[in-house]
Amino acid sequence: MAGTILMGFAVAQKAQAVDAATNVGTVNYVQGQGVSVYDNLSGKKTGKYLKTGSKWTVQYTGLGNYGKVFAWGFNLGGNQWVLNRYLDLRYENSTQTVNSVVKIHYVPGYGIAVWNSPKSGHHVIKHALLKHGTSWKAVSRAVVNGHVWYNLGRNQWLDGSYANITRETSRSDKSYDGRIPANIASLTGGYDNVWTPGKK
């Protein structure tokens, strides 16, 4: 069952309601760690963390000033916000760059396939197999209809169901596929590819 708690934003006090069918998000970060929860508007950390793999109900989206960088976040109820880059929504379609290391978890002695794309119509890359227990550097990640994929570079994609992030030094905001509500688009400037939950 999803919980109810995301990051504070000093810029955008307007928010977009999220459709109930798409408003459950899963925390995606380093295995065994968590991401910070922020106080609404101030951008101040609350001292609370959301554990990787935990699920939360999103109330609103918002754009705000995180330090000196504009960033998107999700409100999880009250003054509790988390950066969008760390929460994958059900049915979401997005991409983002990462500097991460992922470890394969499958069946000892076996491995998983490498694909040429995370999207439908993709095919397996011949003679490429990632063995259980091995670690690989990921340069980007994609969420396709809510399913996570990691790119090892040169369009070599692995299914995120069989990989955990063990180390990460950076990740970008997400770029979403979908339509934009007018009240959010007016706040984004060049962010004309931002998707709002419930607007598929």
Side-chain angles (χ1 to χ4, degrees):
M1 185 172 73
T4 302
I5 298 200
L6 186 159
M7 171 189 123
F9 299 91
V11 174
Q13 296 188 28
K14 291 184 179 179
Q16 176 69 33
V18 179
D19 186 278
T22 63
N23 71 342
V24 174
T26 302
V27 177
N28 181 282
Y29 189 54
V30 177
Q31 187 71 16
Q33 297 185 26
V35 299
S36 294
V37 177
Y38 294 84
D39 188 312
N40 188 27
L41 301 180
S42 69
K44 180 181 178 182
K45 292 182 180 180
T46 64
K48 297 178 181 178
Y49 295 86
L50 305 182
K51 186 178 179 180
T52 296
S54 61
K55 297 181 184 298
W56 302 91
T57 300
V58 175
Q59 304 297 324
Y60 303 100
T61 62
L63 176 67
N65 194 342
Y66 175 63
K68 296 182 179 179
V69 179
F70 287 107
W72 282 91
F74 296 134
N75 179 272
L76 306 183
N79 291 336
Q80 301 175 109
W81 293 78
V82 64
L83 285 169
N84 76 325
R85 66 189 67 174
Y86 298 118
L87 204 68
D88 300 329
L89 296 175
R90 189 182 299 166
Y91 310 125
E92 175 182 316
N93 288 282
S94 68
T95 56
Q96 67 186 145
T97 59
V98 296
N99 187 349
S100 307
V101 174
V102 296
K103 186 174 182 179
I104 307 302
H105 64 87
Y106 190 55
V107 177
Y110 294 85
I112 65 170
V114 179
W115 301 80
N116 71 327
S117 169
K119 298 183 178 180
S120 60
H122 59 191
H123 61 79
V124 171
I125 298 175
K126 292 182 179 180
H127 311 298
L129 194 68
L130 307 179
K131 292 185 178 180
H132 169 80
T134 58
S135 295
W136 303 86
K137 181 179 179 180
V139 298
S140 64
R141 64 188 297 271
V143 182
V144 180
N145 199 28
H147 192 87
V148 176
W149 294 81
Y150 293 101
N151 181 14
L152 306 183
R154 298 183 179 180
N155 286 322
Q156 300 176 98
W157 293 86
L158 64 92
D159 186 334
S161 299
Y162 306 110
N164 293 322
I165 300 174
T166 58
R167 187 168 69 250
E168 182 172 285
T169 57
S170 66
R171 72 167 64 188
S172 70
D173 257 350
K174 292 182 178 183
S175 177
Y176 295 96
D177 296 334
R179 291 177 287 175
I180 316 165
N183 68 323
I184 287 184
S186 66
L187 297 171
T188 62
Y191 283 64
D192 58 359
N193 60 347
V194 174
W195 172 76
T196 295
K199 301 293 182 181
K200 295 187 290 183

